[in-house]
């Protein structure tokens, strides 16, 4: 579904929300759509919504020429659509589960860059991140997917579709958008690879059966950070909206 045109003025936001139809507020997939296809839709939708959250969090104000959060942008692109918000969290949960599964491997991975300052920072921060994700509990059960006779074919379809998304990114004119889009697409693909291509035991012991390239590991961690930042942005916009509503209600009493 295309994005709804945002209101031009801040005071129009409440009217904008009150007059949106249920159909405009989200997408309801037919009940007979397989679970695997629903997951794919949620992944792509969440990726799109996450990128949009970043855009709205750092938006150029054409009047002041300053970069700042834009509440109208957020509401019209993400906030008014429960499914888009939910799909951001869904991707975060999926990424968290992949990192949980890969934890022994990631803890022993050689992140050396040759830059002493960066290497010290990675050595300090990675254990904290892995510990936090590990302590978040069991958040996603990948064993529910690809279990019937169509499972192998669907896995192949998943891989092909993600390759197509990455190729589409090559057509993006903005170099920054293309870089971040391809990085996060690779990050999600790496999470799926860890969840569905290897059993848990592969991430314990010598790791000899694993085949992860360095750019995949970097993309996975970067994408986890980007979705974390998106969730932080959602909390910021939620506070901004509450302040806006409070101010609006107070103005009606004057």
């Amino acid at each position: 579904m295309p994005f709804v045109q945002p209101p031009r003025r801040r005071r129009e936001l409440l009217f904008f929300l009150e007059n949106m139809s249920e159909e405009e507020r989200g997408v309801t997939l037919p009940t007979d759509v397989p679970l695997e296809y629903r997951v794919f839709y949620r992944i792509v939708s969440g990726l799109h919504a996450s990128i949009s959250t970043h855009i709205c969090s750092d938006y150029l104000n054409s009047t002041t020429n300053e970069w700042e959060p834009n509440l109208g942008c957020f509401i019209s692109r993400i906030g008014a659509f429960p499914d888009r918000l939910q799909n951001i969290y869904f991707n975060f949960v999926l990424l968290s589960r992949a990192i949980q599964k890969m934890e022994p491997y990631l803890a022993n991975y050689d992140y050396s860059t040759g830059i002493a300052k960066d290497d010290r920072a990675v050595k300090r921060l990675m254990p904290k991140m892995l510990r936090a994700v590990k302590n978040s509990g069991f958040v996603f059960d990948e064993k529910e997917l690809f279990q019937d006779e169509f499972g192998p074919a669907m896995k192949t379809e998943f891989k092909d579709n993600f390759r197509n998304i990455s190729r589409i990114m090559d057509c993006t004119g903005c170099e920054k958008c293309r870089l971040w889009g391809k990085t996060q697409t690779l990050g999600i693909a790496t999470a799926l690879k860890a969840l569905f291509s290897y059993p848990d035991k592969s991430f314990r012991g010598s790791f000899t059966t694993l085949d992860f390239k360095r750019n995949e590991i970097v993309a996975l961690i970067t994408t986890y950070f980007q979705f974390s930042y998106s969730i932080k942005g959602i909390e910021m916009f939620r506070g901004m909206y509450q302040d806006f509503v409070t101010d609006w209600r107070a103005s009606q009493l004057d």
Side-chain angles (χ1 to χ4, degrees):
M1 189 188 80
F3 283 132
V4 175
Q5 183 66 28
R8 291 187 178 184
R9 290 182 290 277
R10 189 179 175 93
R11 64 175 178 269
E12 295 176 349
L13 285 174
L14 290 178
F15 179 81
F16 168 78
L17 287 172
E18 291 171 356
N19 287 275
M20 286 185 67
S21 68
E22 287 300 316
E23 183 178 1
E24 289 177 318
R25 282 184 176 274
V27 175
T28 301
L29 296 177
T31 56
D32 59 345
V33 172
L35 177 61
E36 290 80 4
Y37 289 160
R38 292 174 180 274
V39 168
F40 182 81
Y41 165 76
R42 298 193 71 178
I43 289 172
V44 176
S45 170
L47 180 61
H48 192 186
S50 175
I51 293 171
S52 295
T53 301
H54 284 254
I55 292 172
C56 298
S57 297
D58 196 20
Y59 200 92
L60 178 63
N61 186 323
S62 58
T63 302
T64 64
N65 207 34
E66 298 286 338
W67 295 90
E68 60 188 29
N70 187 313
L71 181 61
C73 169
F74 176 77
I75 289 178
S76 64
R77 295 188 177 201
I78 309 104
F81 307 93
D83 65 311
R84 295 177 188 176
L85 285 168
Q86 292 166 7
N87 291 338
I88 291 176
Y89 285 97
F90 178 82
N91 274 271
F92 182 74
V93 164
L94 184 144
L95 288 161
S96 297
R97 172 57 188 142
I99 292 173
Q100 285 178 342
K101 185 174 181 178
M102 298 174 70
E103 189 269 337
Y105 177 68
L106 295 175
N108 289 278
Y109 192 80
D110 181 10
Y111 298 97
S112 300
T113 65
I115 303 174
K117 181 180 178 181
D118 291 345
D119 290 344
R120 286 194 299 269
V122 171
K123 189 174 181 179
R124 183 182 75 255
L125 295 173
M126 279 300 297
K128 290 183 179 180
M129 187 272 286
L130 293 174
R131 187 162 53 250
V133 175
K134 185 177 181 179
N135 292 338
S136 64
F138 190 72
V139 292
F140 182 87
D141 187 4
E142 66 274 14
K143 294 181 177 62
E144 293 184 4
L145 300 169
F146 306 114
Q147 295 303 308
D148 60 20
E149 67 272 23
F150 303 108
M154 284 187 175
K155 279 187 182 181
T156 301
E157 191 173 354
F158 252 61
K159 294 177 183 178
D160 291 342
N161 285 336
F162 266 91
R163 290 192 188 100
N164 288 338
I165 292 173
S166 185
R167 292 190 189 102
I168 291 171
M169 296 288 182
D170 290 332
C171 301
T172 304
C174 171
E175 291 186 9
K176 184 177 180 181
C177 299
R178 182 166 63 248
L179 172 63
W180 283 112
K182 288 180 73 69
T183 298
Q184 291 187 64
T185 301
L186 179 59
I188 294 291
T190 303
L192 294 173
K193 178 179 177 179
L195 292 174
F196 300 114
S197 296
Y198 297 99
D200 289 1
K201 64 182 180 181
S202 298
F203 294 98
R204 297 189 292 268
S206 60
F207 315 122
T208 54
T209 62
L210 300 179
D211 180 24
F212 288 94
K213 297 179 176 60
R214 187 179 182 88
N215 65 327
E216 291 178 315
I217 300 300
V218 171
L220 174 68
I221 302 304
T222 300
T223 304
Y224 178 78
F225 168 77
Q226 292 297 314
F227 274 91
S228 301
Y229 187 82
S230 293
I231 292 173
K232 182 178 179 181
I234 291 171
E235 295 301 317
M236 174 190 68
F237 282 119
R238 182 175 287 123
M240 289 176 65
Y241 179 70
Q242 291 299 326
D243 292 342
F244 164 72
V245 171
T246 299
D247 292 344
W248 181 82
R249 287 174 176 167
S251 69
Q252 302 304 300
L253 300 176
D254 295 339

